[in-house]
Amino acid sequence: MMRQALREAAVLFFFAAALGSLYTASTGKGMFADTAGVSSPLSGNHAPVLIPLDEARGFFDSGEALFIDARHEFDYKLGHIKGAMNIPLQELDERKELISAIAKDKLLIIYCDGAECNSSIELSSKLFQSGYSNVRIFFGGWREWEAAGLPIAQSQD
Amino acid sequence: MKDLLSNPYLSLLTRAFLGSFFIVISIDKIADPLAFAQSVGNYKLLPLPAVLVIATVLPWLELLAGLAILFGVVQRGGSLLLCLMLGVFTLAVVLALFRGLDISCGCFTQDPSAGKIGWMKVAENGSLFLLSLFLLFSKPGKFTLESFIRETADTR
């Protein structure tokens, strides 16, 4: 009985892996295909992908990216990544003028709290849909950046 | 116990509940793999590439296992997968609780306001694990697609 269950489970696993890979590759939702592009993010027209702390730090050090803080203004004022712009997800419409000043091909790195938030993902998706071709999501967010002792600021730079 | 495991109505009821449940919860994850990846990443147990692979495969695994159980096709394989997945999910939630992580579960929905992890979540997952275990060891009853196909073939 157990052997039969294992055999059936293996078949289901195979189909799940195939369907998942095909689906994410065809929809461009930032899984397999896009993680390969993380190492050269400025060269292509990528859907938002997740980047880890060391990637985010590399972009910060090179100064080529604009960091966007998707959290509430209150949290942003308490502390944010140095040089980051605050565009709370809920206030996207009110900040359209601010956003329109950003070049469409600029590398944008979106982050939020990191521990439990989805606003970085939603904001990056909205920016990507509105024509920003080079959007990345800093996976660990504010908490990971702060814990690593990297440059921060407490008011808008 | 043997009576319970061979009761076709109990098996049908469990299959209907568990199968529909996993089909429904997989849709949210399939629709938004990045949000699911973030939920998995929040547990801080795996490196990013592994998180992305899980976010790609696991929702489809839930969907296929749910369909297999609901329709009674490769039911044992589906039940075994659910047992394994629920065992790992429960372990991940328990580890996160012991490490003091204040995160959303990401289990049933990707909405971060849907509730944080807690011992209630462990109980929920544990209950689903027991139901999957029941299906794994129960005798596939007569109300399955497999038995329907077999009966149809026999009558010809």
Side-chain angles (χ1 to χ4, degrees):
Chain A
M1 184 193 81
M2 217 49 198
R3 191 170 288 180
Q4 181 202 355
L6 279 168
R7 209 169 33 235
E8 291 176 357
V11 171
L12 286 173
F13 185 83
F14 171 78
F15 280 108
L19 284 169
S21 305
L22 279 173
Y23 174 75
T24 50
S26 62
T27 53
K29 287 198 172 178
M31 292 288 122
F32 287 134
D34 289 308
T35 44
V38 168
S39 58
S40 57
L42 289 173
S43 60
N45 184 15
H46 300 293
V49 295
L50 306 176
I51 59 168
L53 178 67
D54 56 341
E55 298 261 359
R57 188 185 183 169
F59 290 128
F60 179 84
D61 290 340
S62 69
E64 61 193 325
L66 173 63
F67 281 73
I68 295 181
D69 190 320
R71 298 174 302 159
H72 286 287
E73 195 174 347
F74 177 78
D75 296 319
Y76 173 82
K77 281 183 175 168
L78 284 177
H80 55 264
I81 294 176
K82 198 173 178 188
M85 178 189 275
N86 184 213
I87 305 177
L89 180 66
Q90 301 79 0
E91 294 169 29
L92 192 58
D93 290 336
E94 294 138 55
R95 309 222 177 185
K96 266 192 175 145
E97 241 175 71
L98 192 69
I99 298 165
S100 63
I102 306 169
K104 294 279 184 185
D105 61 347
K106 178 81 181 167
L107 171 60
L108 304 178
I109 297 180
I110 321 293
Y111 72 93
C112 54
D113 190 59
E116 61 182 71
C117 61
N118 286 348
S119 50
S120 59
I121 292 170
E122 289 178 37
L123 182 62
S124 63
S125 171
K126 284 184 178 168
L127 288 172
F128 184 73
Q129 282 161 12
S130 59
Y132 289 90
S133 57
N134 225 339
V135 185
R136 299 285 176 270
I137 302 159
F138 169 35
F139 198 55
W142 166 245
R143 284 195 193 180
E144 200 173 45
W145 187 273
E146 190 190 25
L150 294 169
I152 60 169
Q154 287 191 315
S155 59
Q156 194 150 5
D157 290 326
Chain B
M1 189 65 189
K2 209 170 178 182
D3 287 346
L4 272 181
L5 289 173
S6 56
N7 186 324
Y9 298 101
L10 196 59
S11 172
L12 176 68
L13 202 67
T14 312
R15 276 175 37 222
F17 169 71
L18 214 54
S20 321
F21 182 80
F22 273 90
I23 291 167
V24 170
I25 65 163
S26 70
I27 291 167
D28 201 26
K29 296 170 189 168
I30 289 171
D32 197 350
L34 279 181
F36 181 50
Q38 177 124 7
S39 297
V40 176
N42 286 343
Y43 285 90
K44 302 190 190 304
L45 289 170
L46 297 165
L48 182 60
V51 167
L52 293 175
V53 170
I54 287 173
T56 302
V57 178
L58 199 131
W60 289 90
L61 208 52
E62 287 181 343
L63 178 68
L64 293 184
L67 287 170
I69 282 175
L70 184 63
F71 291 105
V73 185
V74 293
Q75 183 187 318
R76 288 208 198 281
S79 319
L80 178 65
L81 282 175
L82 290 190
C83 283
L84 291 173
M85 286 191 282
L86 286 162
V88 173
F89 298 160
T90 310
L91 188 67
V93 173
V94 170
L95 284 174
L97 285 172
F98 277 118
R99 287 156 66 214
L101 295 181
D102 182 25
I103 57 175
S104 301
C105 178
C107 313
F108 306 146
T109 170
Q110 299 316 299
D111 181 358
S113 61
K116 303 249 174 94
I117 56 166
W119 292 108
M120 195 61 202
K121 192 60 71 185
V122 176
E124 278 173 27
N125 283 356
S127 311
L128 292 170
F129 176 80
L130 288 177
L131 289 178
S132 308
L133 205 62
F134 165 74
L135 278 185
L136 178 63
F137 290 104
S138 71
K139 196 175 161 194
K142 51 188 172 183
F143 307 114
T144 64
L145 195 60
E146 272 181 359
S147 69
F148 175 76
I149 292 167
R150 213 170 24 242
E151 280 166 23
T152 313
D154 288 347
T155 52
R156 279 183 186 171

